[in-house]
Amino acid sequence: MNRTSVARVLRAAVVACGVAALLLLLVDGVPWLFGYSAAGSGTAVLLPFVAVGVCAVGLGFVLPRVDAAVGRLTHHREVTPYSALAAAAARIRAGSLEQALPGLAQVLADGTGATRAVVWLAVGDRLVAAAEHPPRDSTDADEEHVPNLAVLLARPDTDHVVPVLDGAELRAALAIGKPDAPITPADQLLVQDVANGAALLLRGVAQNAELAERVRRADDLATQLDDSRQRLSQAREVERRRLVMELSHATGDRLAALRAEVDRAQGALKCRPEVAAAAHEALVHARGGLDELLDRFRVIARGVYPAVLRDQGPAAALDEVATDLPRPVRLTGSLGGRLDWEIESGLYYVTAAALHALAGGPAESELVVAFGRTDGRATVRIDDAAPDITPDRLRTALADDVERLVALGGDLELILPDGPERPLGMRAWVPDHLEPVVESGAGADLGFR
């Protein structure tokens, strides 16, 4: 006799004994207590009917306690398929795998009378035991897993398995073991109904995880957008400082010298008209300085906001810069089309600064400037076969331009020569677009596949 039969017999015996005792008490005990016989009193005739009514009403209050007592004695719960499904629905409404899965395993065990019920989740290419009833001992807490459904069904402690499918994709499997009793059609129907509910639960968990992943991606996009704005703000600040330094260093001394020449000419004309020749010479020098200053302003304006860069791109703008250098420059490669203004200007300024630093004096060897675009990066490389500047000085000269590249998400590296015949190299790169990018996986990691 299995545990279910023992529980039912014990429950019936307890209920029968209780009803018999209550009937005996009401039919024989009450007349004796009040001192009248059942045959001579009309009230006593009604006592059996009253006793039956009391028993019927009392069973509604007593049966749950009887079931609890029988369950403690036999370790069995009397569960109908309907109550099992109601319990499963309550577990599923929890909406959390941690809260629902142990309850589903208990519902399977109670509803089918199984000695063991396990909920297996599909994780990668295997099935992992996520919940079982009765639970294992804490000392045996190693993760239990099987490679597939066939291996799971072949286990000696498993008699029936129902897969939980989401479309054509396996999400989980429900398994029960009944070594002392057959798997009935009612058991199969109950497990299938619980599997359908579990599919709804896992689909809801998957949708919640996908929503959480989208919220996280939106937060990442917002963060990267703020970072991009900060980098562009830093790039504008770097450019402002560069313009101030260019104007102060390039024009301050020349303006002071020009002012001195004009003052000298004015003084000579006021004091001694006969020295007009000297005044004329001073004015000639002043005019020459003024012409030089105007040319310098044009160079500065072309460096700060070159019209060719805006209209034709960095290669054409750098070709214009190279024409004013005392050293030959050869431009090769291509950026593969026009890019954002910030990207083109960042590459232009760092390359122009490097060309001025490396081509400070005449030389026979040429500077080779190579443009490239690959792996989401726009690059410029300069090779100098005969550098007349140390790497430290070049790094110092390019400090502000490197700061601009970093603000745009790029960087610059110096390729140091390891021998007298090896050239000094410089490679600058920036992303070929400034939009924030968040990598999206094929699907959110839901913890079960």
Side-chain angles (χ1 to χ4, degrees):
M1 184 179 293
N2 58 26
R3 187 178 299 176
T4 303
S5 301
V6 172
R8 291 175 179 173
V9 170
L10 183 58
R11 179 175 181 270
V14 171
V15 172
C17 292
V19 171
L22 184 58
L23 288 174
L24 182 62
L25 176 63
L26 292 176
V27 174
D28 293 336
V30 171
W32 176 81
L33 181 62
F34 290 97
Y36 55 86
S37 64
S41 174
T43 304
V45 176
L46 299 175
L47 285 177
F49 300 98
V50 175
V52 172
V54 172
C55 290
V57 174
L59 283 177
F61 297 96
V62 175
L63 278 180
R65 294 173 175 80
V66 173
D67 290 338
V70 172
R72 286 194 295 271
L73 291 174
T74 63
H75 302 288
H76 176 78
R77 295 179 60 190
E78 187 67 26
V79 180
T80 66
Y82 300 103
S83 62
L85 290 177
R91 301 288 185 177
I92 291 171
R93 283 195 298 271
S96 168
L97 290 177
E98 292 77 7
Q99 298 177 8
L101 293 185
L104 291 180
Q106 182 177 349
V107 165
L108 290 174
D110 293 344
T112 62
T115 59
R116 183 171 184 261
V118 185
V119 179
W120 300 81
L121 291 181
V123 179
D125 57 351
R126 60 180 182 169
L127 292 170
V128 178
E132 62 181 287
H133 186 82
R136 288 183 296 173
D137 297 335
S138 59
T139 57
D140 188 20
D142 293 337
E143 184 184 77
E144 189 176 6
H145 59 86
V146 295
N148 51 52
L149 286 174
V151 176
L152 175 60
L153 190 56
R155 290 167 59 100
D157 57 353
T158 301
D159 296 314
H160 184 60
V161 176
V162 173
V164 179
L165 300 176
D166 184 6
E169 186 175 3
L170 178 66
R171 291 295 190 186
L174 306 182
I176 58 174
K178 295 179 66 176
D180 300 328
I183 302 296
T184 65
D187 294 338
Q188 297 177 359
L189 181 60
L190 175 63
V191 177
Q192 183 61 56
D193 290 338
V194 174
N196 294 335
L200 294 176
L201 169 67
L202 296 177
R203 186 177 298 114
V205 171
Q207 291 174 349
N208 291 336
E210 182 180 358
L211 178 60
E213 176 66 14
R214 291 185 178 182
V215 171
R216 185 193 65 79
R217 290 178 58 194
D219 292 340
D220 289 344
L221 285 171
T223 300
Q224 293 192 22
L225 179 60
D226 291 339
D227 293 342
S228 177
R229 288 174 176 172
Q230 292 178 4
R231 290 196 300 267
L232 293 178
S233 178
Q234 293 174 3
R236 287 193 295 268
E237 179 63 20
V238 169
E239 183 58 30
R240 185 190 66 81
R241 293 201 305 265
R242 191 183 77 86
L243 178 58
V244 171
M245 293 179 60
E246 283 281 356
L247 292 175
S248 61
H249 293 323
T251 62
D253 296 339
R254 288 177 173 82
L255 286 174
L258 178 61
R259 181 180 298 171
E261 291 288 346
V262 173
D263 292 340
R264 174 184 166 191
Q266 290 178 347
L269 290 175
K270 290 180 180 179
C271 297
R272 299 177 61 186
E274 63 276 7
V275 292
H280 177 71
E281 182 181 357
L283 291 176
V284 170
H285 285 293
R287 179 59 182 271
L290 181 59
D291 292 340
E292 182 181 355
L293 183 59
L294 290 176
D295 292 338
R296 182 60 178 169
F297 265 116
R298 293 190 185 97
V299 173
I300 294 174
R302 189 170 58 200
V304 173
Y305 189 77
V308 177
L309 174 62
R310 178 194 60 201
D311 298 334
Q312 303 179 33
L318 290 172
D319 184 59
E320 187 178 68
V321 171
T323 59
D324 296 331
L325 297 176
R327 188 174 178 183
V329 176
R330 178 163 56 92
L331 302 178
T332 64
S334 171
L335 293 178
R338 298 301 302 272
L339 302 173
D340 292 338
W341 163 255
E342 294 85 358
I343 297 174
E344 291 186 343
S345 62
L347 291 176
Y348 166 79
Y349 288 129
V350 70
T351 307
L355 290 178
H356 282 99
L358 294 172
E364 294 183 359
S365 61
E366 63 180 4
L367 293 175
V368 180
V369 180
F371 299 94
R373 184 176 178 183
T374 181
D375 297 331
R377 292 181 175 183
T379 61
V380 175
R381 173 165 177 159
I382 301 178
D383 290 315
D384 188 356
D388 60 353
I389 185 174
T390 64
D392 291 338
R393 287 179 55 195
L394 179 60
R395 187 179 290 109
T396 301
L398 302 179
D400 289 340
D401 300 283
V402 171
E403 186 177 351
R404 181 189 295 106
L405 288 182
V406 173
L408 293 172
D411 205 351
L412 180 142
E413 60 178 344
L414 295 181
I415 305 172
L416 304 180
D418 55 2
E421 302 298 330
R422 299 296 299 272
L424 173 65
M426 182 210 79
R427 179 177 178 271
W429 65 270
V430 290
D432 60 4
H433 54 81
L434 296 179
E435 292 81 1
V437 176
V438 175
E439 294 183 358
S440 58
D445 185 4
L446 306 179
F448 53 86
R449 187 157 180 85

